[in-house]
Amino acid sequence: MRKIPVIFDVDTGIDDALSLFYAAQSDKLDILGVMASHGNTSLENTLRNTLNVLKLCGREDIPVGEGAEKPLVAKQV
């Protein structure tokens, strides 16, 4: 069976952490990479959370990129 290629764009809090955790364990998905950006917290926190989730899953082989620190168009709330 061919795996489905995916790229995740996350602001890793509890919801994205769980999604990433389940996806990383799936034999149906080929996770090509993960982009972490700011969300309800700073980019520094979401990036650290993302790396920790992947480490917990034993999937440190998945590349992780640093996304935007703040909104590109709208004002940050």
Side-chain angles (χ1 to χ4, degrees):
M1 175 173 68
R2 184 172 176 266
K3 291 185 176 187
I4 302 166
V6 295
I7 297 173
F8 276 83
D9 179 25
V10 296
D11 62 341
T12 307
I14 189 65
D15 56 340
D16 287 350
L18 285 172
S19 296
L20 194 52
F21 181 83
Y22 290 129
Q25 304 304 311
S26 174
D27 60 353
K28 296 179 181 181
L29 299 177
D30 178 16
I31 303 175
L32 303 176
V34 179
M35 288 299 298
S37 62
H38 78 93
N40 292 333
T41 187
S42 68
L43 173 59
E44 179 182 342
N45 288 339
T46 60
L47 182 58
R48 183 178 54 246
N49 291 348
T50 302
L51 293 169
N52 284 336
V53 168
L54 292 174
K55 184 175 184 176
L56 179 66
C57 297
R59 293 300 312 269
E60 293 173 282
D61 60 305
I62 298 172
V64 176
E66 225 176 283
E69 291 182 21
K70 60 184 179 179
L72 300 178
V73 179
K75 288 185 178 183
Q76 188 167 359
V77 201

